[in-house]
Amino acid sequence: MKRGGDIIYGEMTGELASKNRDTTYYQDQPYVVKGFWKHRTWQDKNGEERHENTFYITDLQSL
């Protein structure tokens, strides 16, 4: 997903991913996306604090 200079990667999981396994998506086609964000913080092996933001897609429809 792209808006301006930002690129966001989303992931379909579970039944939605199974239903859309053979669906072809086009980069030049606009889509309406619904989903939710999940954030987690952890420390890596060097003690550095790391952050992960994941967007899970729950619905995807073409315009």
Side-chain angles (χ1 to χ4, degrees):
M1 295 176 279
K2 192 171 186 177
R3 179 178 168 91
D6 297 328
I7 297 175
I8 301 168
Y9 297 95
E11 178 180 359
M12 283 184 201
T13 59
E15 187 177 323
L16 182 64
S18 295
K19 286 186 345 186
N20 290 288
R21 179 175 300 154
D22 297 324
T23 304
T24 302
Y25 296 101
Y26 301 97
Q27 290 187 4
D28 59 346
Q29 169 71 37
Y31 294 91
V32 175
V33 179
K34 293 180 184 177
F36 65 93
W37 289 102
K38 183 177 178 184
H39 173 82
R40 81 177 177 111
T41 304
W42 79 96
Q43 286 192 344
D44 68 12
K45 63 182 179 182
N46 298 320
E48 295 286 326
E49 186 175 85
R50 302 289 181 179
H51 300 272
E52 176 184 34
N53 293 298
T54 306
F55 183 74
Y56 291 98
I57 299 169
T58 58
D59 190 27
L60 181 64
Q61 302 291 323
S62 62
L63 287 178

